[in-house]
Amino acid sequence: MSSLSPLTRRLALFALVALGVYAPALNGDFISDDQHYVRENPYVHALDWSSLVAIADPTSVVTRLVENYAPVHLVLHGLEWQLFGPEVFGYHVVNVLLHALAAWLLIPVCRRSGIPPLAASAGAAIFLLHPANVESVAWISQLKSSSALALSLGAILAHPRRPLLASALFTLALFAKPFSAFALFVVALFAWLRRRPAEAAAEPGTGGRFGWLAVWLGILLVFGVLESLAFSKSAGQAP
């Protein structure tokens, strides 16, 4: 482990600590929404081409079945089902590791905003262990929260140096859980606070980082249309 970089060692430490803290939950059974998202969802179990098309279609029976539209979330559960089947342990481990990854990604995000290294690490550690996160980490179907946060933070860190990767991660995050829209406002704030004409001119894409933010906004608008269409067909619109 001594050959690893300090940041990588911190990731390994976060993962080990998180697994230790959440050990009592690693054998928790499917509960509540886990039933229709995972255990009793034939589209997740099959994960063939027709299932993927139905999962991606905001007007399909899948949207009504889960009363939500989060295709990336369901595809991730489908991949888990292929690996773990009805055994819950693997699902919990994935959730915990994604939570540890998200906490670790907070360190470079905080550093980018000017927070000193020690304070950034301390803040990430507090997030890793804060009891407010227990529900979203220990509940199997809340994979959408852990995955969306990790993807969102990855998008923030990739922008603006890797704009295509950042846009792809932002898209995946949105289609895992809509709260990922926050990433657009974070990168817009970073771009506004740190903008320098010479840097902007050197960045890839028309208009530098602000040009790519327009792409993000377009992605968000498309997602909003699909989300509205999905909820018009699901119980999400019920009183």
Side-chain angles (χ1 to χ4, degrees), residues 7 10 14 106-108 110-111 114-126:
L7 203 57
R10 204 168 290 130
F14 274 26
L106 280 173
I107 298 173
C110 290
R111 292 288 297 121
I115 296 175
L118 184 59
S121 297
I126 290 171

Side-chain angles (χ1 to χ4, degrees), residues 63-207:
T63 297
R64 296 189 291 274
L65 174 65
V66 301
E67 300 180 4
N68 198 4
Y69 182 64
V72 168
H73 173 214
L74 289 180
V75 169
L76 290 174
H77 275 317
L79 293 173
E80 288 183 319
W81 185 269
Q82 310 313 307
L83 292 172
F84 312 128
E87 300 299 322
V88 297
F89 182 82
Y91 297 88
H92 287 296
V93 169
V94 170
N95 274 19
V96 172
L97 293 180
L98 280 172
H99 176 60
L101 175 62
W104 176 73
L105 288 171
L106 280 173
I107 298 173
V109 170
C110 290
R111 292 288 297 121
R112 180 175 290 188
S113 65
I115 296 175
L118 184 59
S121 297
I126 290 171
F127 176 80
L128 178 73
L129 300 174
H130 200 288
N133 292 316
V134 169
E135 180 179 320
S136 64
V137 179
W139 190 0
I140 288 174
S141 59
Q142 281 298 315
L143 169 70
K144 57 188 174 185
S145 298
S146 298
S147 61
L149 181 57
L151 288 165
S152 298
L153 294 173
I156 291 169
L157 290 169
H159 183 82
R161 293 184 180 276
R162 296 179 176 85
L164 286 175
L165 175 61
S167 299
L169 291 174
F170 179 62
T171 302
L172 290 172
L174 275 178
F175 283 87
K177 193 168 183 178
F179 78 60
S180 303
F182 84 89
L184 173 60
F185 300 98
V186 173
V187 295
L189 182 61
F190 280 165
W192 180 69
L193 290 175
R194 295 175 176 271
R195 179 170 172 80
R196 294 183 179 90
E199 290 180 358
E203 285 169 2
T206 304

